[in-house]
Amino acid sequence: MGAVAQGSRVRGLDGLRAVAVVAVLVHHASAFLEPSWWGTVAPGGFLGVDLFMVLSGYLITMVLVAGGSERGWALRFYRNRAVRLVPALVGVLVVVGALEVTGLLTAEGEFAPSALAALFYVSNWAVMAGEAGFDHINHLWSLSVEEQFYIVWPVVLMVAGRRALPVALLGIVASAAWRAHLYDGVWLDVYSRTDARADAFLVGCCLALSPRLRRALSWGATPGLLVFAAAVVWLARDDKVLYDGGFTVVAIACAAMIAGVVERGWGRLLLERTVLVGIGVASYGVYLWHFPVMRWIQLDLVWTGAGALALGALITGALTAASWWLVEVPARRWRAPAQRSGSTSSASARSSWASLR
């Protein structure tokens, strides 16, 4: 039986979450703060978002499958997602909005429509339509894609029933093919589309739906890490290979790492180290805060280099800690717990809820 079914938080998944957010941080730091010694260390660091997507698809499906037979599961699911995600997001929008009103932020785009798009989780579509694009919160597109998946997938899972796995596999093929069809060299028109990124979530869903697939992929965890690392080091966001199936290959590599963690404790000596687990637990706040901080340093302080990088890390850490203790932890009291019973499914649901960011 996999680690997720043991009824406790899986520390290795927090370690993977840390790997994902660090990859994104390195990517954005090299793009915006430009320390002279940094160069383009991780042009593909944005693929940390894909690791988040696969992990989300896996954990959410584990929760839904384990708790789907319990009364009120849908209301509990959506309530818990809102309680976990919305308060910290509102905190970021309030702070950024206050700084914008006082004239302390310099940015292209209007804040109000961008904030509303983020709050209603449609940032990705609003940016593509030209209705949003406030520099300091442009990174919230990925949360919008994720939330749109959260809305649609539980319904699909309920309707598909026992056919959920083939439906998910078909969805992977359809999303990958659609992305390849859409890509014409302009990555921004494709990269943040929910329909063109759904395959990453669905790969994680398949991992949860098929224990046999999970066990088989677990043996590919180390090759999966090598594929992910190579993509982070060598691929850029506009590389055509990503849109011609590369994103799907990276998602499968991420799934192999996740399977290795939950089935065999793969990477335990590294992924379960206290520092990585701590970063993973706080990764939502780190992701929310790092981007406006970096953009503020770059655009308003007009500062780049190693000093700017150190300042960005310090401020991001402080704001993440404040968000965690003042917003995210207090908000948890409003979460609806999984129903208590001695069943394996209930234990699995509690474990999966615990491992969700």
Side-chain angles (χ1 to χ4, degrees):
M1 184 180 295
V4 168
Q6 301 303 314
S8 61
R9 190 177 185 104
V10 183
R11 289 170 59 85
L13 295 183
D14 286 323
L16 281 181
R17 196 174 278 120
V19 170
V21 78
V22 167
V24 174
L25 290 175
V26 171
H27 172 67
H28 284 157
S30 63
F32 299 133
L33 302 186
E34 300 174 347
S36 59
W37 49 268
W38 195 281
T40 53
V41 172
F46 60 88
L47 292 168
V49 171
D50 291 67
L51 177 51
F52 275 129
M53 289 177 174
V54 179
L55 188 54
S56 291
Y58 169 71
L59 289 172
I60 286 298
T61 305
M62 289 293 290
V63 166
L64 294 171
V65 170
S69 60
E70 298 175 353
R71 187 172 60 181
W73 67 270
L75 179 61
R76 183 167 53 254
F77 171 78
Y78 288 116
R79 171 184 167 181
N80 286 348
R81 287 292 77 205
V83 167
R84 178 65 186 98
L85 300 177
V86 174
L89 173 62
V90 170
V92 170
L93 294 177
V94 167
V95 171
V96 173
L99 293 175
E100 194 271 340
V101 168
T102 57
L104 295 177
L105 293 183
T106 302
E108 294 183 4
E110 295 184 18
F111 174 74
S114 299
L116 285 174
L119 193 57
F120 287 97
Y121 292 101
V122 292
S123 286
N124 59 325
W125 299 109
V127 169
M128 285 188 290
E131 300 296 329
F134 191 78
D135 279 333
H136 296 69
I137 55 175
N138 274 343
H139 67 310
L140 299 180
W141 72 269
S142 65
L143 302 184
S144 297
V145 172
E146 187 173 5
E147 194 64 24
Q148 290 159 30
F149 167 76
Y150 287 161
I151 292 171
V152 173
W153 176 244
V155 178
V156 172
L157 192 62
M158 180 174 61
V159 172
R162 295 180 182 274
R163 296 183 294 275
L165 180 59
V167 167
L169 290 170
L170 181 61
I172 292 169
V173 174
S175 179
W178 179 237
R179 181 172 57 239
H181 170 73
L182 290 173
Y183 186 67
D184 59 359
V186 182
W187 65 268
L188 188 59
D189 293 340
V190 182
Y191 178 72
S192 57
R193 290 180 62 108
T194 307
D195 52 355
R197 302 308 303 279
D199 56 329
F201 293 106
L202 291 171
V203 167
C205 296
C206 290
L207 201 64
L209 291 169
S210 175
R212 180 179 298 178
L213 174 64
R214 198 160 61 241
R215 288 191 294 269
L217 273 180
S218 70
W219 296 102
T222 299
L225 173 62
L226 295 176
V227 169
F228 179 76
V232 166
V233 171
W234 283 310
L235 294 180
R237 197 153 34 189
D238 59 351
D239 279 338
K240 191 173 185 296
V241 65
L242 285 171
Y243 301 86
D244 288 339
F247 276 121
T248 306
V249 172
V250 170
I252 294 171
C254 293
M257 291 189 287
I258 294 168
V261 168
V262 299
E263 290 294 325
R264 300 191 294 111
W266 171 83
R268 179 176 298 153
L269 291 178
L270 175 62
L271 295 177
E272 295 190 9
R273 288 187 176 275
T274 302
V275 172
L276 277 184
V277 171
I279 294 173
V281 170
S283 61
Y284 180 51
V286 173
Y287 184 81
L288 284 175
W289 286 107
H290 86 281
F291 197 82
V293 168
M294 287 185 181
R295 294 300 265 170
W296 174 70
I297 293 173
Q298 179 198 30
L299 298 176
D300 298 283
L301 298 187
V302 194
W303 189 15
T304 60
L309 183 66
L311 178 64
L314 182 64
I315 296 176
T316 297
L319 290 172
T320 298
S323 175
W324 176 260
W325 292 111
L326 299 178
V327 179
E328 296 173 63
V329 170
R332 290 188 173 195
R333 71 187 64 174
W334 299 103
R335 295 180 69 171
Q339 290 184 2
R340 298 285 178 177
S341 78
S343 69
T344 299
S345 63
S346 294
S348 179
R350 292 194 297 273
S351 173
S352 299
W353 274 124
S355 292
L356 277 169
R357 72 184 187 190

